[in-house]
Amino acid sequence: MNKLINIFVLDDDPFTLKLLGRTLAKLGYGRVSCFERGDAALAAYEIPGCIPDVILLDLNMPSMDGIEFVRHLAERCFIGALILVSGEGERMLEATNKLIHTHRLSVLGTIRKPPTLAMLSAVLDKWSPHIVSKPFAASIPYDAETVDAAIVKGELINYYQPKVAVATGKIIGVETLVRWQHPLDGLVLPDLFIPVAETSGQINKLTRVVLKEALSQSKVWQEEGFSLQVAVNVSMDDLADVSFADFVAAEAKGLQPQSLMLEITEGRLIQNLSTVLDVCARLHLRKFRLSIDDFGTGHSSFVQLHDLPFDELKIAKMFTHHAWHDARLRAIFKSSLNLALQLGMEAVAEGVENADDWAFLRTTQCHIAQGYFIGQPMPAAALPGWMDEWQYRMKQQ
Ligand code: C2E
Ligand code: CA
C-alpha cells in the first residue's frame, strides 16, 4: 500500500476529524489534510498539485453536506476515490453510494462512525493507482458517425469473460464483451457506444461483426481442444431483423449449435413482437441457446420469460453482489433463482466480485457464476493463462 498518497479528510465534527487524522498517521499515511467545511476542502483542491487521491467524506455536515460536495467533485471530474464516513444507517449509505456511482466516481468503501484503525486500514488497502473513476465529462458518448466509422475500420475487438460451474469450479464457457480500441482514447467500454449504435440503427452491423469474430474464435478453441460455450450479447433490434436466424446459422457452420448462447437484454420495449418471436423460435428450433440477460432489470422480465423460449436466466449483478450480506438482495436473488429452477432453466449469477459473493453462491443451487472474482473480461490470448491460474485457486480452496 502506497503511504504517500494524498488524503483529504472532511468532517464537521472536530473530534472525529482529529481521530481520523491521528489514525491515518498511525497507519503511516504522511500526506493528510483535514477540513471541517466543504468549501475549505474545495479551495485546497484547486491548488495546483494538491488534488487528493482519496477523500474521506462525512455525509452529514451542516453547511455543505456530503452529497453536495460529491456534486462539486463530479463537476471537477475528480478521478480519485471516496470513502464515506457516516453515522447514518445502512440504507442511507447505500443510497449515497448509488448516487456517487451515477456521477461515475469511485467509492473505496464505507465506514460507520466511530471509525477504528482496523476499519480504516481495511478500506485503504483497497486503494490502487488503477482505481481511477470515469467522470461524466470525460465519458460523453460518441456520435453515430464516429461509431459507424469504428465498426467499418475494424476497431472493435472482443474480450471474453469466463463463466464457471458453481459446484465444481469447472469452466463452462465465456461471455463475449465488445470493446473499442480507439486510436486516441484507448480501450473504450461498450456503455459509451452500444446505446449510440442502438439508437442510430447500427446495432445489427455491430452485432454481426462481434458474432462473426466470436464464432471464429470459438472454432479456434474447439481445434485447440477447449470445449467452451460462447455467449454473445444481442439486442432486441437484432431480433427484429428476419434474416438474423439465417445469418447465425450460416456463421455457426462447423460448430455445435448448443455451443452458442445468445444473451438478450431488452433495454427498450419490443416494437415488432411477431418478428422477434419468429426469429427466436427459429433459433430455438436450430438448437441455438437463448439467455434472458440482466433478469429483473429494465424490461427483462416475466413477460419475456413467458413469451420467448429461453434456456438460461442471468441474475443481474446488482442482485448477486452483496446478497450474502443484504437480506433484501438475498430475497430477490433467491426468487430469481427459484424461478429459473422451476422453469427448468440454467441459472447464472453475474457480479461475483469477491470471495464472500462466491462463498454465498456455493450455498445455493445456482448453476453458473461470472464476475471479477472469477475472472475479468480479457482478450482471447489471455484465456489459457487465466485457466491455469483459476485451476490453481480452486485447488487452494
Ligand atoms: P452485460 O451483458 O450485463 O455484461 C456484463 C457487464 O458486467 C460487463 O460490462 C462486464 O465487464 C461487467 N462485469 C463482469 N463481472 C462483473 C463484476 O463482478 N462486477 C461488476 N460490477 N461488473 C462486472 P461491460 O463489458 O462494460 O459491458 C456492459 C454492457 O454492454 C453489457 O452488459 C452488455 O449489455 C453490453 N454489451 C457488451 N458487448 C456487447 C455486444 O457485443 N453487443 C451488445 N448488444 N451489447 C454488448
Ligand atoms: Ca450479457
Side-chain angles (χ1 to χ4, degrees):
M1 178 64 209
N2 183 351
K3 303 282 177 178
L4 292 175
I5 57 171
N6 188 14
I7 303 180
F8 277 16
V9 186
L10 176 54
D11 197 310
D12 67 303
D13 172 29
F15 175 76
T16 311
L17 198 59
K18 207 175 253 175
L19 180 66
L20 283 167
R22 283 202 188 141
T23 314
L24 287 167
K26 264 194 206 150
L27 286 169
Y29 292 96
R31 293 177 66 201
V32 178
S33 314
C34 295
F35 306 92
E36 281 183 29
R37 294 172 55 96
D39 47 6
L42 287 175
Y45 184 104
E46 302 295 349
I47 301 169
C50 276
I51 294 178
D53 300 296
V54 174
I55 302 179
L56 276 84
L57 176 66
D58 179 24
L59 291 182
N60 202 347
M61 294 179 292
S63 51
M64 181 192 295
D65 64 35
I67 294 179
E68 190 184 345
F69 185 77
V70 164
R71 185 162 20 93
H72 288 295
L73 286 180
E75 282 162 10
R76 286 163 175 75
C77 300
F78 175 55
I79 58 162
L82 284 158
I83 297 174
L84 305 182
V85 185
S86 176
E88 304 293 327
E90 198 73 25
R91 300 289 297 277
M92 179 65 201
L93 279 173
E94 260 171 39
T96 314
N97 217 335
K98 199 152 277 170
L99 171 79
I100 293 173
H101 281 293
T102 65
H103 284 303
R104 308 238 175 166
L105 301 175
S106 294
V107 180
L108 273 189
T110 51
I111 293 177
R112 300 289 297 276
K113 283 185 181 180
T116 65
L117 188 131
M119 284 177 190
L120 259 179
S121 167
V123 178
L124 277 162
D125 272 349
K126 293 190 200 159
W127 186 86
S128 91
H130 307 297
I131 294 189
V132 173
S133 52
K134 300 171 290 180
F136 267 135
S139 56
I140 295 163
Y142 295 87
D143 63 41
E145 239 169 71
T146 321
V147 173
D148 189 41
I151 302 171
V152 174
K153 281 192 268 178
E155 288 175 356
L156 300 188
I157 52 170
N158 285 354
Y159 269 42
Y160 301 93
Q161 186 177 33
K163 289 162 96 170
V164 302
V166 174
T168 60
K170 190 172 169 284
I171 179 164
I172 302 290
V174 292
E175 175 178 358
T176 310
L177 293 160
V178 69
R179 270 90 181 94
W180 173 7
Q181 189 64 67
H182 192 286
L184 299 175
D185 299 348
L187 204 61
V188 179
L189 292 174
D191 286 344
L192 288 183
F193 59 93
I194 293 281
V196 182
E198 281 178 340
T199 43
S200 66
Q202 293 156 351
I203 193 69
N204 295 22
K205 206 196 277 183
L206 184 147
T207 302
R208 287 175 186 228
V209 168
V210 172
L211 191 72
K212 239 176 146 95
E213 173 57 27
L215 288 171
S216 76
Q217 182 57 54
S218 176
K219 286 173 197 161
V220 172
W221 280 323
Q222 189 179 300
E223 280 155 20
E224 289 172 352
F226 298 121
S227 156
L228 295 176
Q229 182 190 72
V230 174
V232 174
N233 289 285
V234 299
S235 50
M236 276 293 168
D237 297 326
D238 294 313
L239 302 173
D241 169 4
V242 274
S243 68
F244 188 68
D246 291 330
F247 172 78
V248 173
E251 291 299 325
K253 267 212 177 83
L255 286 169
Q256 296 279 355
Q258 295 88 342
S259 68
L260 176 65
M261 179 71 81
L262 298 171
E263 295 189 7
I264 304 167
T265 328
E266 198 196 345
R268 295 181 278 162
L269 279 171
I270 303 179
Q271 299 292 333
N272 194 343
L273 184 61
S274 61
T275 312
V276 170
L277 291 175
D278 171 306
V279 170
C280 286
R282 290 180 64 219
L283 286 165
H284 186 67
L285 273 176
R286 292 171 191 239
K287 305 273 184 292
F288 294 108
R289 309 194 76 219
L290 300 180
S291 169
I292 182 162
D293 206 358
D294 286 332
F295 183 72
T297 66
H299 301 286
S300 274
S301 60
F302 295 106
V303 182
Q304 279 67 47
L305 211 49
H306 180 262
D307 291 347
L308 301 175
F310 287 113
D311 305 282
E312 180 189 87
L313 182 149
K314 291 192 87 172
I315 305 173
K317 51 182 174 262
M318 62 183 291
F319 304 133
T320 305
H321 176 49
H322 253 120
W324 60 275
H325 173 68
D326 181 322
R328 300 168 80 90
L329 290 180
R330 201 158 53 245
I332 301 172
F333 179 91
K334 289 200 167 165
S335 322
S336 309
L337 175 57
N338 278 337
L339 196 60
L341 296 175
Q342 279 174 35
L343 294 173
M345 296 164 70
E346 298 251 273
V348 182
E350 293 182 332
V352 181
E353 279 195 17
N354 54 41
D356 293 322
D357 295 339
W358 174 247
F360 162 71
L361 219 54
R362 308 250 309 173
T363 67
T364 72
Q365 286 179 284
C366 187
H367 306 104
I368 298 170
Q370 182 181 348
Y372 295 158
F373 175 74
I374 299 155
Q376 301 261 350
M378 62 191 93
L383 201 73
W386 171 85
M387 283 186 193
D388 292 344
E389 186 202 316
W390 175 247
Q391 246 172 17
Y392 175 77
R393 283 172 63 198
M394 287 306 293
K395 273 194 203 131
Q396 300 295 102
Q397 282 199 3

